[in-house]
Amino acid sequence: MPSYTVTVATGSQWFAGTDDYIYLSLVGSAGCSEKHLLDKPFYNDFERGAVDSYDVTVDEELGEIQLVRIEKRKYWLNDDWYLKYITLKTPHGDYIEFPCYRWITGDGEVVLRDGCAKLARDDQIHILKQHRRKELETRQKQYRWMEWNPGFPLSIDAKCHKDLPRDIQFDSEKGVDFVLNYSKAMENLFINRFMHMFQSSWNDFADFEKIFVKISNTISERVMNHWQEDLMFGYQFLNGCNPVLIRRCTELPKKLPVTTEMVDCSLERQLSLEQEVQQGNIFIVDFELLDGIDANKTDPCTLQFLAAPICLLYKNLANKIVPIAIQLNQIPGDENPIFLPSDAKYDWLLAKIWVRSSDFHVHQTITHLLRTHLVSEVFGIAMYRQLPAVHPIFKLLVAHVRFTIAINTKAREQLICECGLFDKANATGGGGHVQMVQRAMKDLTYASLCFPEAIKARGMESKEDIPYYFYRDDGLLVWEAIRTFTAEVVDIYYESDQVVEEDPELQDFVNDVYVYGMRGRKSSGFPKSVKSREQLSEYLTVVIFTASAQHAAVNFGQYDWCSWIPNAPPTMRAPPPTAKGVVTIEQIVDTLPDRGRSCWHLGAVWALSQFQENELFLGMYPEEHFIEKPVKEAMARFRKNLEAIVSVIAERNKKKQLPYYYLSPDRIPNSVAI
């Protein structure tokens, strides 16, 4: 009688093993086997991290094995099991791999196909077509779209983390408990004694050092020592944690009536302001999005305020970017003066602090939350709903949506919900952050997620003109490495543009993103379908780059740039000044966050800047969804390209007092998971 050797690999994460009964049956082209209990006497099967082998004898020849069915039945208590893969050695000595990388819960079962990636057109056998269809039908019931707030990209239909499908939950929910993590961060930073001191002002700038922990971190200490300097202020628009707002100014806006006479002492080329604009030396950051956003009113004991500044910047003769004019609200007038470097020291300093605070709000809610977290969740849900596990694009993308839906669900449960942690310290809490996302959706376009296009759209592409824009330089290197990799994978499975166009599952995936994620907005520029291999490669590059590099660039520098509170105030406790010559140091300190809010802010930026335990970085694919040699070779070339980028960045940083490393591939996690 034919005999098969079955090798079963159990996951190594916490609670991956099981004591339940595990049954296996084989489905072949010539017949199906009986159900076999996988059990060895006097042996603890399916322990965490174990690889167990079993001999399975069948009554008759099964032909070519098409499916493996695994069933789990309760032994004592419900005991979930994480199955990594099954390898089958046939009676003829052939080996067939069946990747799984899924949880089997309750009295559940999973039916696996061999690991060769297949498009829908490649499946001609009825049982394989049926398996493909049933998998998607099941997933579409599990992964349902939901509107969390009007105008938002749709998200997963789950009220809390435990409502999610088991396959996308965190291994341990405690690891992503925001309340626990923020409190733990404050304890680790030795600042928990201040955390309940709301309404209690600091005495002066030096007083903030009581909660500033001098760890071996050159950037945060340098920020503390130099935050008042114009050079440091300008540098952050290029290489801080929100390097996406600055744009070249091609025409001075009428709402900012600044003249050459006002800024003459800042201009170094003996040119008028208009001539400097024409020569491309003037840059602008406009926080118009914040105009009219409701400030946080959740604490009746503390009034909180927002502004909507316009900041004009200048490229000096040393090619450094410095601020030359700041107007704190959008409509010019006598009570909305234009602040200048030539003004009194504290007038100018407070104006810059207002800009830094506004930048913090746009960074957290738009650059970080909307444009990485929520967008990546859309890609993830659409992928699970429309691409079966055997599809090559599912195999490519699954590592890049790992834990994304889970972290966003946890955020909606604890962080950005009504009365959530976001309300504790942020002036845009209490609903302002929701208004911001609703407004920013009009600017969320496909082109703005294509990194090279986004850089060009802001007029920031010239390395000769703007030599110190490391976010741009490193981002372009990583983008190109990802694009090359995705193009290679696409070419392996799609022999022509016609095959792309005629892949119904792929087209449904792209359409799901457009209809539900982008709410069917034509102005978003998101494609409803993809018609060529080149277009598909670019689309996949957008998905992977957004989830990995873009998120890393705007997330992991938060402690570096925001831990010194005056450099990134999460709230302001007095309105913007309406006149010059009246600001004092005492007024600035009373405007900055109180002790309690400072501590919650510090705990947040510390927790958000930490990598996950067992983090997987760009190019790491420990789950072998692909088994084909050409794809594995493409992955190896991808890793080699990324290693070369790591070396280039490390070499440049050796010469820098302020190293820029957020886009070094060895520091870019594969997915949005924090």
Side-chain angles (χ1 to χ4, degrees):
M1 290 191 292
S3 180
Y4 294 82
T5 301
V6 178
T7 302
V8 181
T10 296
S12 55
Q13 59 268 65
W14 288 104
F15 311 114
T18 188
D19 289 324
D20 284 355
Y21 297 111
I22 303 298
Y23 296 91
L24 173 138
S25 47
L26 304 174
V27 180
S29 57
C32 301
S33 76
E34 295 291 320
K35 193 160 67 171
H36 293 266
L37 175 65
L38 300 182
D39 183 45
K40 288 188 270 194
F42 311 112
Y43 178 76
N44 202 347
D45 305 275
F46 315 117
E47 286 292 283
R48 174 185 165 209
V51 178
D52 301 313
S53 291
Y54 303 88
D55 290 324
V56 173
T57 302
V58 298
D59 296 332
E60 55 189 7
E61 182 64 49
L62 299 177
E64 185 180 337
I65 299 299
Q66 295 166 338
L67 301 171
V68 170
R69 176 178 283 105
I70 295 288
E71 299 176 53
K72 186 171 74 69
R73 296 293 176 258
K74 187 165 67 175
Y75 168 66
W76 181 245
L77 298 171
N78 275 330
D79 193 11
D80 296 349
W81 180 42
Y82 188 85
L83 173 60
K84 287 173 68 177
Y85 60 83
I86 286 176
T87 303
L88 201 64
K89 183 184 178 185
T90 70
H92 307 292
D94 299 324
Y95 286 87
I96 312 172
E97 294 178 51
F98 294 84
C100 181
Y101 302 104
R102 279 181 256 168
W103 288 92
I104 305 176
T105 61
D107 284 345
E109 70 171 53
V110 63
V111 181
L112 303 176
R113 292 185 54 164
D114 77 79
C116 291
K118 302 280 187 186
L119 300 177
R121 74 171 199 155
D122 300 327
D123 283 340
Q124 301 302 321
I125 301 168
H126 173 71
I127 193 171
L128 297 180
K129 289 182 178 179
Q130 186 182 45
H131 176 267
R132 199 174 190 115
R133 189 183 70 250
K134 279 189 173 179
E135 182 183 7
L136 289 181
E137 286 173 357
T138 302
R139 291 240 214 94
Q140 284 165 14
K141 289 173 185 171
Q142 291 179 312
Y143 296 83
R144 301 174 306 278
W145 294 104
M146 176 193 75
E147 182 179 70
W148 186 65
N149 262 303
F152 273 51
L154 294 194
S155 50
I156 195 76
D157 185 6
K159 289 183 180 174
C160 57
H161 181 266
K162 70 177 189 303
D163 292 343
L164 294 171
R166 184 68 181 91
D167 286 331
I168 59 169
Q169 290 182 24
F170 282 101
D171 298 331
S172 167
E173 194 177 350
K174 282 185 181 176
V176 286
D177 187 299
F178 286 108
V179 177
L180 190 67
N181 286 353
Y182 286 19
S183 302
K184 197 186 297 178
M186 286 186 273
E187 192 175 324
N188 291 342
L189 295 166
F190 306 106
I191 59 173
N192 47 334
R193 67 187 186 279
F194 296 111
M195 63 188 285
H196 300 298
M197 297 174 69
F198 290 91
Q199 289 84 53
S200 172
S201 294
W202 301 97
N203 297 319
D204 51 32
F205 292 142
D207 211 19
F208 282 98
E209 289 190 51
K210 289 178 181 173
I211 62 164
F212 183 79
V213 180
K214 291 187 180 179
I215 54 176
S216 54
N217 179 334
T218 57
I219 294 179
S220 59
E221 284 197 55
R222 194 164 179 83
V223 169
M224 180 187 73
N225 292 326
H226 299 279
W227 70 280
Q228 298 187 41
E229 298 168 13
D230 288 353
L231 280 172
M232 177 63 84
F233 178 90
Y235 178 88
Q236 291 179 73
F237 284 116
L238 298 176
N239 301 308
C241 55
N242 195 25
V244 302
L245 298 185
I246 187 170
R247 59 176 59 244
R248 197 186 294 272
C249 181
T250 54
E251 184 182 358
L252 291 169
K254 290 186 172 61
K255 62 183 178 180
L256 181 67
V258 62
T259 64
T260 300
E261 291 70 33
M262 287 180 177
V263 296
D264 195 42
C265 63
S266 298
L267 306 180
E268 298 180 353
R269 295 178 176 86
Q270 280 73 55
L271 299 173
S272 70
L273 181 58
E274 286 72 17
Q275 289 170 323
E276 294 279 17
V277 169
Q278 288 164 11
Q279 291 208 0
N281 297 323
I282 302 297
F283 299 82
I284 193 166
V285 180
D286 188 349
F287 295 94
E288 184 179 15
L289 181 84
L290 288 165
D291 191 29
I293 296 292
D294 293 332
N296 192 338
K297 295 181 178 67
T298 57
D299 180 359
C301 299
T302 304
L303 290 175
Q304 299 180 62
F305 298 90
L306 293 167
I310 307 167
C311 180
L312 209 62
L313 299 118
Y314 176 63
K315 184 185 74 174
N316 65 19
L317 289 173
N319 286 323
K320 301 292 175 69
I321 303 291
V322 292
I324 58 171
I326 294 170
Q327 183 177 285
L328 292 180
N329 278 302
Q330 294 287 306
I331 300 173
D334 293 341
E335 294 193 348
N336 187 22
I338 296 175
F339 291 94
L340 308 165
S342 54
D343 290 341
K345 175 183 176 181
Y346 292 128
D347 283 359
W348 181 235
L349 181 59
L350 182 56
K352 288 192 294 180
I353 291 172
W354 269 105
V355 172
R356 293 295 312 132
S357 182
S358 302
D359 189 68
F360 174 82
H361 296 309
V362 172
H363 164 260
Q364 285 292 12
T365 303
I366 308 306
T367 309
H368 183 209
L369 173 64
L370 172 61
R371 299 181 69 88
T372 63
H373 277 258
L374 299 185
V375 167
S376 290
E377 181 176 5
V378 165
F379 291 135
I381 298 171
M383 181 201 78
Y384 280 112
R385 286 175 53 84
Q386 304 298 351
L387 299 176
V390 73
H391 198 290
I393 304 306
F394 178 93
K395 290 172 180 277
L396 176 66
L397 295 184
V398 67
H400 300 289
V401 298
R402 177 176 177 258
F403 299 147
T404 300
I405 300 172
I407 195 68
N408 287 0
T409 302
K410 202 71 186 167
R412 287 187 287 269
E413 187 184 341
Q414 290 185 324
L415 189 62
I416 56 174
C417 55
E418 195 173 340
C419 303
L421 289 176
F422 198 79
D423 292 356
K424 275 190 177 292
N426 294 282
T428 50
H433 59 305
V434 173
Q435 297 170 3
M436 288 174 69
V437 171
Q438 290 165 335
R439 282 190 188 181
M441 280 295 287
K442 72 178 188 330
D443 298 318
L444 178 57
T445 63
Y446 180 74
S448 71
L449 297 179
C450 293
F451 190 81
E453 287 186 48
I455 295 291
K456 282 180 186 171
R458 293 187 287 112
M460 301 294 289
E461 69 273 21
S462 172
K463 293 185 182 183
E464 189 179 343
D465 266 4
I466 314 159
Y468 301 113
Y469 198 12
F470 308 127
Y471 163 74
R472 171 204 59 205
D473 300 343
D474 300 354
L476 288 170
L477 293 176
V478 176
W479 172 274
E480 188 55 32
I482 295 171
R483 194 203 60 76
T484 300
F485 172 53
T486 59
E488 288 185 22
V489 175
V490 166
D491 287 349
I492 291 168
Y493 294 102
Y494 295 91
E495 63 207 35
S496 68
D497 292 344
Q498 185 180 352
V499 179
V500 171
E501 201 167 358
E502 293 177 356
D503 180 352
E505 293 163 341
L506 172 66
Q507 302 302 340
D508 287 344
F509 162 64
V510 172
N511 189 58
D512 240 31
V513 171
Y514 172 75
V515 171
Y516 297 105
M518 298 306 118
R519 312 301 297 269
R521 285 184 306 109
K522 283 185 182 177
S523 60
S524 72
F526 270 75
K528 296 179 188 178
S529 60
V530 285
K531 300 185 184 301
S532 69
R533 294 191 294 179
E534 185 179 356
Q535 191 184 3
L536 174 56
S537 172
E538 181 187 70
Y539 195 94
L540 297 173
T541 304
V542 166
V543 176
I544 295 172
F545 187 89
T546 301
S548 58
Q550 186 59 27
H551 179 255
V554 303
N555 181 72
F556 292 104
Q558 291 190 72
Y559 188 80
D560 289 345
W561 297 100
C562 304
S563 56
W564 180 246
I565 306 292
N567 189 59
T571 189
M572 300 287 265
R573 294 181 295 145
T578 56
K580 294 187 181 187
V582 294
V583 177
T584 63
I585 180 70
E586 291 78 18
Q587 185 183 335
I588 294 178
V589 172
D590 286 340
T591 300
L592 288 169
D594 56 41
R595 294 168 192 251
R597 287 180 175 80
S598 298
C599 290
W600 278 100
H601 167 81
L602 201 57
V605 297
W606 169 266
L608 290 169
S609 299
Q610 307 308 304
F611 293 122
Q612 285 278 355
E613 190 179 354
N614 303 319
E615 189 73 81
L616 297 176
F617 295 97
L618 193 58
M620 294 169 62
Y621 296 100
E623 294 184 353
E624 295 195 40
H625 292 273
F626 284 112
I627 65 167
E628 297 96 318
K629 190 177 178 185
V631 190
K632 291 189 173 184
E633 289 172 346
M635 286 177 171
R637 286 191 292 274
F638 182 39
R639 281 190 288 272
K640 196 170 180 182
N641 287 344
L642 294 175
E643 286 164 10
I645 296 170
V646 170
S647 299
V648 167
I649 292 172
E651 189 61 33
R652 178 200 65 213
N653 283 342
K654 281 181 187 175
K655 307 162 192 167
K656 301 293 176 190
Q657 289 180 314
L658 269 175
Y660 185 83
Y661 44 71
Y662 309 117
L663 283 170
S664 182
D666 58 345
R667 300 175 72 102
I668 299 176
N670 259 335
S671 62
V672 176
I674 189 70

